[in-house]
Amino acid sequence: MNKTQEVIDKVSQGLRISLSEALELVKRASIHDLGSLAYQVRSKLYGQQAFYIYNQHINYTNICQNACRFCAYSKSPDQDGAYTYSIEQIKDEVRSRIKEPITEIHIVGGLNPDLPYSYYLQLLKSIKEIRPDVKIKAFTAVEIAFLAQKYGISPRKVLHELHEAGLDALPGGGAEVFDPKLRQKLCPEKISGKAWLDIHREAHKQGIPTNCTMLFGHIETWEDRLNHLQFLRDLQDESGGFLCFIPLPYQPANNNLKADGPDGLDFLRMIAISRIFLDNIPHIKAYWVFAGIKAAQLALWYGADDFDGTIVEEKIGHAAGADTPRGLTVKALCKLIQKAEFTPVERDTFFNVSP
Ligand code: V47
Ligand code: SF4
């Protein structure tokens, strides 16, 4: 039996594969074999269910002291289009959709040195006053590290205080690719991969679940991608706090990184190997905003089980050229999932499904 078939058999038997076996699969298995294997794994877990969430995105500021080369969203304070929402403006955003049955508000922003620490606590508290039942998934590990460093508080205390103020989960952004040499080229000012992992480990310790991501399809190799996944799998073995992995396809417009972004087959291979390799992370998200709606539908057949949500209104991917809508209605989202021959199932932030 050839080596690729041995690895396929191992996965079919529900066994964990090593990094070198995963490399063998992505490099040698046909897209059909890889997809059908990942589909087998996802359907053992969830059958034909595909999850979605009724959510709202708020990007509170685009002012950022970092200048990641792939980022088209960040601005310096004096640049045209730079903005920061006041707490009142955030409250208005939340109130403007109060009649909709939103269950999650997803909040991320740039590293704006002019915002006081109290802004972050107030933001969470104000939202919870208006919508006590909503879950808030906010602030990437990069924002947590920024607050800790700027205000001389440990990341542990920052997480604890934000949690007390209403934070329910952390989104997975800021992970990019963990390899230090690549990070130096992509985002030299950003916290290291180790620091990103340490903050997620600490969040998990405090009972705050988190998501994880990888930005792919730019200058990295398959070896870099799988090393990144290995770090995530190892931390999950230790702490168990990751809910979902989101491979983020690089969007190439309006930024300083000269790369094309992944094509459709590369995207599907990435989704499939994520489902196969990350055997301890419950969910794999096909983030339709970055992937494109049609590729996200296909991804459900290649190992993904989550479609994210209604969003309204995404700014980070769209600044970098994403040509998807800025949001979708629940009706449209469900129709897309059904047309892909899956059953839409609404979930909350923690992937609980209402009976
Ligand atoms: O951290 C920035 C990435 C992330 C580009 O946790 C880019 O449920 C592609 O993390 N092309 C933010 N990606 C988005 C994110 C996310 C999105 C949806 C759901 C969740 C979740 C998390 O976007 C950033 C960065 O890695 N990003 N620029 C770009 N040009
Ligand atoms: Fe700032 Fe995040 Fe953009 Fe990097 S990716 S420049 S940290 S907003």
Side-chain angles (χ1 to χ4, degrees):
M1 203 190 313
N2 72 34
K3 175 94 174 107
T4 316
Q5 192 56 46
E6 275 173 30
V7 183
I8 292 176
D9 290 349
K10 209 167 160 183
V11 176
S12 297
Q13 289 161 36
L15 299 172
R16 174 170 277 196
I17 59 167
S18 68
L19 193 152
S20 62
E21 289 169 331
L23 268 177
E24 171 73 27
L25 264 190
V26 277
K27 290 194 168 171
R28 311 232 186 284
S30 73
I31 185 71
H32 302 296
D33 287 348
L34 191 64
S36 114
L37 199 59
Y39 174 74
Q40 231 183 74
V41 177
R42 80 80 87 202
S43 58
K44 264 189 213 151
L45 292 165
Y46 309 113
Q48 282 300 103
Q49 297 181 100
F51 303 100
Y52 71 93
I53 186 161
Y54 205 134
N55 62 356
Q56 174 176 14
H57 275 218
I58 301 179
N59 298 124
Y60 57 95
T61 182
N62 63 355
I63 295 176
C64 187
Q65 68 176 31
N66 282 3
C68 303
R69 287 183 63 200
F70 52 78
C71 181
Y73 172 70
S74 78
K75 304 257 185 221
S76 52
D78 49 0
Q79 227 179 320
D80 264 5
Y83 75 89
T84 300
Y85 290 159
S86 65
I87 297 292
E88 274 317 306
Q89 284 173 308
I90 287 174
K91 284 168 141 177
D92 287 346
E93 283 265 324
V94 174
R95 283 198 204 99
S96 72
R97 299 187 62 196
I98 198 75
K99 294 218 172 87
E100 294 177 58
I102 286 165
T103 66
E104 174 185 276
I105 304 191
H106 171 127
I107 306 170
V108 291
L111 311 181
N112 183 339
D114 294 328
L115 288 173
Y117 184 56
S118 58
Y119 174 92
Y120 298 84
L121 300 170
Q122 203 47 51
L123 182 155
L124 295 165
K125 284 181 190 154
S126 308
I127 294 177
K128 284 285 165 94
E129 271 164 29
I130 300 171
R131 291 200 88 140
D133 295 335
V134 91
K135 296 286 176 271
I136 305 181
K137 182 181 73 185
F139 311 130
T140 64
V142 178
E143 287 157 284
I144 304 291
F146 166 71
L147 292 179
Q149 194 261 331
K150 182 160 171 58
Y151 295 103
I153 316 169
S154 66
R156 184 178 179 182
K157 192 156 180 227
V158 171
L159 282 167
H160 178 73
E161 291 182 348
L162 294 175
H163 197 192
E164 298 255 287
L167 179 76
D168 296 292
L170 293 191
E176 321 314 354
V177 187
F178 292 141
D179 179 82
K181 283 201 282 316
L182 272 180
R183 237 174 154 74
Q184 191 54 37
K185 291 185 187 150
L186 295 169
C187 47
E189 298 123 318
K190 196 164 252 173
I191 54 167
S192 67
K194 181 184 177 307
W196 187 98
L197 289 160
D198 285 346
I199 286 176
H200 282 257
R201 180 182 291 104
E202 180 55 37
H204 300 168
K205 252 191 218 157
Q206 294 188 26
I208 306 170
T210 74
N211 289 340
C212 49
T213 59
M214 178 177 69
L215 178 68
F216 76 101
H218 40 87
I219 54 171
E220 83 296 354
T221 62
W222 270 111
E223 282 78 359
D224 298 322
R225 293 181 188 181
L226 285 159
N227 274 322
H228 184 99
L229 297 194
Q230 179 82 61
F231 277 112
L232 295 175
R233 192 169 82 176
D234 289 349
L235 177 54
Q236 182 73 341
D237 276 345
E238 191 188 320
S239 66
F242 287 129
L243 296 166
C244 180
F245 173 66
I246 310 135
L248 294 170
Y250 167 65
Q251 310 291 305
N254 311 322
N255 65 63
N256 295 322
L257 191 66
K258 299 281 163 275
D260 291 336
D263 64 17
L265 284 189
D266 193 14
F267 172 69
L268 292 175
R269 274 186 185 276
M270 188 60 228
I271 289 277
I273 201 66
S274 304
R275 178 60 293 162
I276 293 167
F277 190 74
L278 297 174
D279 57 355
N280 54 1
I281 298 190
H283 299 278
I284 304 293
K285 184 181 295 189
Y287 187 43
W288 62 262
V289 180
F290 287 14
I293 287 172
K294 292 174 187 170
Q297 280 178 305
L298 266 178
L300 296 174
W301 288 99
Y302 284 77
D305 61 276
D306 187 62
F307 219 72
D308 203 274
T310 45
I311 314 277
V312 190
E313 108 149 58
E314 202 282 334
K315 291 196 171 77
I316 299 169
H318 285 91
D323 58 2
T324 44
R326 288 188 179 253
L328 285 172
T329 62
V330 165
K331 200 171 156 202
L333 205 59
C334 289
K335 198 166 165 199
L336 288 167
I337 294 173
Q338 279 161 340
K339 282 207 147 184
E341 299 177 16
F342 287 82
T343 309
V345 177
E346 186 177 352
R347 57 137 178 120
D348 69 9
T349 301
F350 310 122
F351 284 82
N352 295 316
V353 170
S354 355

